[in-house]
Amino acid sequence: MVRMLPNIIRNLFSKPVTVKHPFVKREPFPGHRGMITFDMKKCDLCQDCERLCPPVAIKVDPEAKTITYDPFKCIYCYLCVTNCLQRAIRGGPAYTPPAYQKEIVYYKPEE
Amino acid sequence: MSKGAATRKYTVFPFGPQHPVLPEPIQLRFTVDEEKIVDVGVNVGYIHRGVERACELNDYQRNVYLCERVCGICNVMHALCYCMALEKLVDVEVPERAQYLRVIWAELNRLESHLLWLGLLADAMGFESLFMQFWRDREIVMDLQERTGGNRVIPSTCVVGGVRRDILKSLAERFREDMVELRRRVDKLAPVILKDPAFKRRTVGKGVLSYNDALMLGAVGPTGRGSGLVKDIRLEGYQAYKHLKFEPVVEKDGDVYARTLVRFYEVYQAIDLILEALESMPEGEIRVKPEKWPEGEAVARVEQPRGELFYYVKGNGTNRLERVKIRTPTLANIPPLLAMLPGYEVADIPVIVLSIDPCIACTERITQVKKGGGS
Ligand code: SF4
Ligand code: SF4
């Protein structure tokens, strides 16, 4: 009991270790591999990203000029981000938000 | 009890595949005499995922991401072992700095796994506060993985030919501080593991595996080292381990407590190895591009937190592999587990089963299907 006393007193006044989640957001660290977005102005629909992606989360349709990306299949390996020659895929330290539909379709704007 | 053994009635009951103390599906069939375990049988194959087959369908560079996902906890080890096997096939020499970085991430994995296991052991014997404290301290390791690798659980840093990320000077400084802090926190928990009478009553003398049994049944990793077997693949000096100084942790008693001590001291060992690797890491390249397709056969072995991990790969000169064979340490540790259970009480089952650190999902490479249904 005597040995436990300092611990008990310290625990009474110290802050909890856990984060109060919905009110306090835990920010990812700078090097974190997070959410991916496509810049369709730069993309030339070369399909490199589709060939590289390990879980096949990207589908490029050169006919319809669209990219279909499934953030829930994506494993955030960033192979596509580092290998896109046009630098059209951007990623950064941000968590992927919840969504209603699984696939996100990007359209290439007309010139 | 004056009944003879011939007339004695035994009870047989299944333990698992779904059970509160088992995080993963393995079925153990116990034959018990009142509270005493007489015999035990095993049944695995509930979550066969077909990883080996999937490895033959992907191109070999992308297999790294698949192999990493064989086990979430020791993911770097799986990627490392796969890359080591393939580097033999495509003849690339990994740059020195990349070897050190791989060792750092691998030891970070070991820290993560052992702290997780120490927590789970405390949980299995109902010691909730110790469980919480180990998992709180494990957060330091998880945060470091996210900081250096880019992802909290699976950093995906190994590739065939090197690593994808470097640890810069400023980050290395932070790394060092965190490791010192982690050591300070583990020091605080040490008296519980080393002295606490309640902890010892649940572990000392339970699930004894003798040196000869460990040798005969092929125990690997902390399970073998807890029985006095000096068997650590890191001693072979793969990657940067040949430049680092360390002694394998070996305990003689062979009981659950000995295995706990091995893992507990390996936490310190991993911290020391990381600090030493950070100190002596040379400058230079971190990645070389392989120039040819894999051809021929190769094997690689790596010391995982649970024991020896084994990869066999066979290439045929195209970008797909012909065969990949994975053997995880839990498969090797199941026969020793069956040998250590008989003779103990039913209440000891959770602690003894957990003492080999079972990771069943990684183990499943076969499913037996009996004629007429059932497995
Ligand atoms: S995003 Fe990049 S890699 Fe993918 S199709 Fe467009 S240009 Fe090619
Ligand atoms: S990050 Fe990896 S998994 Fe995600 S879309 Fe890019 S290549 Fe595919």
Side-chain angles (χ1 to χ4, degrees):
Chain A
M1 188 66 204
V2 181
R3 269 196 299 145
M4 276 155 70
L5 211 56
N7 220 343
I8 294 172
I9 295 172
R10 202 166 46 240
N11 281 350
L12 274 181
F13 296 105
S14 61
K15 277 197 299 182
V17 190
T18 45
V19 177
K20 286 201 168 50
H21 170 59
F23 311 109
V24 184
K25 283 252 156 65
R26 177 183 178 273
E27 290 302 324
F29 296 114
H32 177 86
R33 292 194 303 269
M35 199 169 69
I36 290 173
T37 47
F38 290 78
D39 183 351
M40 294 306 283
K41 282 209 200 79
K42 288 188 188 161
C43 171
D44 63 359
L45 302 169
C46 67
Q47 293 182 302
D48 272 358
C49 50
E50 182 180 336
R51 275 189 288 273
L52 276 171
C53 179
V56 208
I58 308 177
K59 276 187 221 86
V60 182
D61 189 344
E63 304 275 293
K65 298 194 174 170
T66 56
I67 289 186
T68 314
Y69 165 62
D70 185 344
F72 298 98
K73 255 191 198 171
C74 175
I75 56 174
Y76 299 97
C77 63
Y78 272 33
L79 274 186
C80 56
V81 178
T82 44
N83 285 301
C84 173
L85 290 177
Q86 311 300 326
R87 307 215 165 276
I89 312 178
R90 251 186 260 121
Y95 295 123
T96 311
Y100 284 113
Q101 79 271 44
K102 283 202 167 164
E103 297 191 326
I104 302 172
V105 186
Y106 290 92
Y107 295 93
K108 185 158 175 70
E110 298 293 332
E111 256 98 77
Chain B
M1 292 279 272
S2 56
K3 279 188 228 162
T7 54
R8 184 171 292 180
K9 283 236 167 55
Y10 293 133
T11 319
V12 181
F13 75 93
F15 180 80
Q18 301 261 332
H19 194 277
V21 303
L22 277 180
E24 293 184 65
I26 179 174
Q27 188 184 48
L28 298 167
R29 282 183 312 274
F30 287 103
T31 310
V32 291
D33 176 16
E34 312 234 314
E35 283 290 309
K36 207 172 195 137
I37 304 165
V38 180
D39 194 18
V40 49
V42 69
N43 199 0
V44 290
Y46 292 96
I47 34 171
H48 178 56
R49 291 176 295 176
V51 172
E52 287 177 356
R53 176 72 183 135
C55 281
E56 293 161 20
L57 303 177
N58 275 334
D59 114 22
Y60 80 95
Q61 295 268 19
R62 298 194 299 184
N63 271 344
V64 181
Y65 304 98
L66 181 63
C67 290
E68 265 174 350
R69 282 160 178 79
V70 170
C71 180
I73 297 173
C74 28
N75 52 75
V76 177
M77 312 279 190
H78 277 272
L80 175 61
C81 199
Y82 176 79
C83 291
M84 274 165 57
L86 265 178
E87 278 150 12
K88 287 182 193 160
L89 293 189
V90 295
D91 292 333
V92 290
E93 187 66 35
V94 182
E96 193 96 317
R97 189 177 174 83
Q99 295 191 6
Y100 274 87
L101 287 167
R102 282 175 169 188
V103 165
I104 290 173
W105 275 305
E107 289 302 317
L108 215 51
N109 258 202
R110 195 182 311 281
L111 272 180
E112 179 201 342
S113 172
H114 282 352
L115 290 173
L116 175 125
W117 180 83
L118 286 164
L120 283 180
L121 180 78
D123 186 44
M125 59 177 73
F127 202 155
E128 290 292 328
S129 69
L130 185 63
F131 160 63
M132 298 273 180
Q133 299 202 32
F134 270 122
W135 279 41
R136 177 191 64 197
D137 298 345
R138 177 171 165 266
E139 273 318 284
I140 297 181
V141 181
M142 306 307 286
D143 281 354
L144 266 181
Q145 285 198 5
E146 184 173 341
R147 245 178 234 281
T148 55
N151 235 336
R152 201 178 125 85
V153 177
I154 301 188
S156 294
T157 43
C158 279
V159 284
V160 179
V163 290
R164 290 167 74 195
R165 284 203 185 208
D166 205 347
I167 296 181
L168 300 175
K169 271 234 168 59
S170 53
L171 211 50
E173 199 46 51
R174 169 85 210 203
F175 215 122
R176 219 164 280 139
E177 281 166 23
D178 277 1
M179 281 296 121
V180 174
E181 167 72 12
L182 181 65
R183 191 206 296 263
R184 198 179 61 77
R185 293 218 197 158
V186 178
D187 272 343
K188 268 193 174 170
L189 296 178
V192 185
I193 301 274
L194 301 178
K195 294 204 192 103
D196 191 73
F199 190 88
K200 282 196 171 176
R201 292 262 312 248
R202 289 304 302 270
T203 51
V204 175
K206 307 281 187 210
V208 176
L209 181 72
S210 67
Y211 175 83
N212 280 340
D213 278 356
L215 197 62
M216 295 282 286
L217 297 170
V220 293
T223 311
R225 289 200 286 279
S227 300
L229 215 60
V230 188
K231 199 169 166 190
D232 191 329
I233 310 297
R234 288 178 291 174
L235 291 175
E236 284 187 356
Y238 61 87
Q239 303 296 314
Y241 284 114
K242 52 183 169 294
H243 307 301
L244 302 173
K245 284 189 288 297
F246 72 99
E247 291 275 317
V249 184
V250 179
E251 293 283 331
K252 293 265 161 19
D253 297 343
D255 54 2
V256 176
Y257 189 61
R259 294 192 274 279
T260 311
L261 283 184
V262 169
R263 292 200 174 88
F264 185 68
Y265 290 133
E266 277 186 7
V267 169
Y268 286 106
Q269 187 190 47
I271 295 177
D272 287 341
L273 276 173
I274 290 177
L275 288 175
E276 195 188 336
L278 280 172
E279 205 61 49
S280 53
M281 194 159 55
E283 295 292 325
E285 282 281 295
I286 56 166
R287 185 175 181 179
V288 285
K289 285 250 148 73
E291 313 237 299
K292 61 179 228 194
W293 299 127
E295 183 153 27
E297 295 173 290
V299 295
R301 296 193 299 166
V302 158
E303 181 74 17
Q304 239 194 5
R306 297 173 174 80
E308 169 196 322
L309 172 68
F310 171 93
Y311 266 71
Y312 161 84
V313 293
K314 183 176 179 196
N316 52 2
T318 64
N319 65 344
R320 307 263 155 93
L321 294 172
E322 213 169 276
R323 177 85 174 99
V324 176
K325 164 82 194 134
I326 308 168
R327 199 200 70 170
T328 56
T330 307
L331 189 68
N333 277 338
I334 287 176
L337 171 68
L338 300 185
M340 62 178 87
L341 277 163
Y344 296 96
E345 307 265 304
V346 170
D348 294 329
I349 294 174
V351 173
I352 298 178
V353 171
L354 214 71
S355 76
I356 67 156
D357 199 357
C359 188
I360 306 301
C362 327
T363 306
E364 314 262 294
R365 300 281 158 263
I366 39 166
T367 299
Q368 332 156 344
V369 181
K370 275 195 200 135
K371 220 172 173 182
S375 61

